[in-house]
Every structure is written in C-alpha cells, then in structure tokens.
Amino acid sequence: MPKKNIKESKTTKKSEDKTKDSKQSKAKDSKKKQPNKVVKYFKDLRSEFKKVVWPSKKKVINNTSVVLGSIVIMGIFVGLLDTGLFKLLQLILSLGTAE
C-alpha cells in the first residue's frame, strides 16, 4: 500500500506541474495576444480606409458652399422672425399700457 501512495503523490505532483505550466503558458499567451489584437485592429482599419470612396475636391467645395449658404439663409430667416415677433410683442405691450 505505501507504494501506491508514493505513485499517487507523484501523479498528483505531475498533474499540478502541468496545471501550473498551462496557467503560465496561458498567461504568456494572453500577454502575447494583446499586441496582436491591436496590430490586427489597425491592419483592418487600414484596409477599410482603402475601401472608402473619397469625394473629389470639387464635390467637397460644392457641398461646403451649399451648407454655408443654407446656414446664412436660415440665420437671416431666424433673425427676421425674431425681429418681427419682437415688434409684435412691443405693439401688444404698448396697446396694453396705452389704456
């Protein structure tokens, strides 16, 4: 019987060593995988940017002018609306105080 205990303890020790080795290798793998994920991300990002159809300079200038023109027109509209409502409010208040 004592021989079996020695064998069992050796087997247990070997399995513990394997567990330690596997844990250490997993820790090393996780450390190694981290930079690979980052590198892979940037490689994928680069390939996606190559697929993008970028607008021409003429189209960018045209779109920018449309946006700026729309902003100016809306600014004038809001300014006129504000002035008109302000004048209307002044008229209403002056009628109320005239009596």
Side-chain angles (χ1 to χ4, degrees):
M1 285 248 188
K3 289 183 180 180
K4 286 185 178 180
N5 287 338
I6 293 172
K7 285 184 179 180
E8 287 177 11
S9 66
K10 285 183 180 179
T11 308
T12 308
K13 190 173 183 180
K14 285 182 182 179
S15 65
E16 287 175 1
D17 289 342
K18 286 181 182 178
T19 307
K20 286 180 184 177
D21 289 341
S22 66
K23 286 182 182 177
Q24 288 175 351
S25 65
K26 285 181 183 178
K28 287 180 183 177
D29 288 345
S30 66
K31 288 179 183 176
K32 289 180 182 178
K33 287 180 183 178
Q34 213 50 336
N36 290 339
K37 287 181 180 180
V38 173
V39 169
K40 183 180 182 306
Y41 171 78
F42 282 107
K43 284 182 180 179
D44 290 344
L45 184 69
R46 188 175 187 188
S47 68
E48 289 297 321
F49 269 117
K50 287 181 181 179
K51 294 177 189 176
V52 173
V53 178
W54 297 100
S56 65
K57 184 176 180 180
K58 184 178 178 181
K59 192 164 191 163
V60 170
I61 291 172
N62 184 38
N63 290 345
T64 303
S65 62
V66 167
V67 169
L68 291 176
S70 300
I71 290 171
V72 168
I73 290 170
M74 289 303 293
I76 291 170
F77 173 74
V78 169
L80 291 173
L81 185 66
D82 182 49
T83 303
L85 291 174
F86 179 71
K87 295 288 184 185
L88 181 64
L89 184 63
Q90 276 185 333
L91 178 67
I92 293 171
L93 292 176
S94 67
L95 291 175
T97 56
E99 295 179 15

